[in-house]
Amino acid sequence: MRKITYLAVLEPDDGGYGVFFPDLPGCASYGKDLEEAQANAKEALELHVYGLEKDLEKLPEPSKNLDSELYSGNYVAPVTVFPDMVKNEMDNRRVKTNVTIPAWLKDLAEEAGVNYSKLLESSLIDYLSLNK
């Protein structure tokens, strides 16, 4: 299983910690304490890596260490994620979608106890000839 570790910088400020990843511009988070900041950093990193890979962008090489003078007064912490697990979770999450059908058909389906989600999912799998 693939594992990636990037270094996060946790900057103390009034009431919490800002978090950013020097190797990943745009990947940032915040937490009201160190524990929340680290948890949010992990989530931010997971989603950022997922987005980059979904867009077929190459991941930057993670730094092994950071310039201590540049980040003095801050905490530097390694954050590890498992991109394949995140991809599986994100790709298989349930999403809501609206459909429009005739009222009489909806009434009959509800009387029959139809599970719309299950029916639509299995119908789409059949229609698209997927092997799931």
Side-chain angles (χ1 to χ4, degrees):
M1 180 164 306
R2 224 166 28 116
K3 174 173 93 169
I4 300 173
T5 301
Y6 283 95
L7 296 175
V9 176
L10 293 83
E11 295 180 303
D13 66 13
D14 295 337
Y17 293 85
V19 181
F20 68 94
F21 293 84
D23 294 329
L24 298 164
C27 185
S29 188
Y30 183 84
K32 64 181 182 241
D33 55 38
L34 274 175
E35 186 177 330
E36 183 178 275
Q38 287 179 310
N40 291 345
K42 182 177 185 294
E43 182 178 7
L45 180 58
E46 288 174 337
L47 295 174
H48 196 83
V49 168
Y50 173 76
L52 288 173
E53 290 187 338
K54 188 170 182 164
D55 293 341
L56 303 176
E57 294 186 36
K58 187 174 185 236
L59 294 178
E61 192 67 33
S63 296
K64 301 294 182 212
N65 53 48
L66 299 177
D67 182 351
S68 58
E69 284 185 32
L70 189 59
Y71 299 109
S72 68
N74 299 316
Y75 299 99
V76 175
V79 179
T80 300
V81 296
F82 297 88
D84 298 328
M85 288 176 61
V86 173
K87 180 183 182 332
N88 185 49
E89 183 179 317
M90 293 297 292
D91 289 351
N92 288 293
R93 73 192 186 283
R94 297 294 176 180
V95 294
K96 196 169 215 166
T97 188
N98 292 326
V99 297
T100 304
I101 59 174
W104 65 266
L105 186 57
K106 179 180 183 283
D107 292 340
L108 287 174
E110 287 178 355
E111 286 174 19
V114 171
N115 179 328
Y116 292 110
S117 296
K118 190 174 187 178
L119 177 62
L120 180 58
E121 181 178 349
S122 63
S123 296
L124 284 170
I125 287 170
D126 288 344
Y127 183 82
L128 297 170
S129 301
L130 302 175
N131 296 325
K132 289 208 174 201

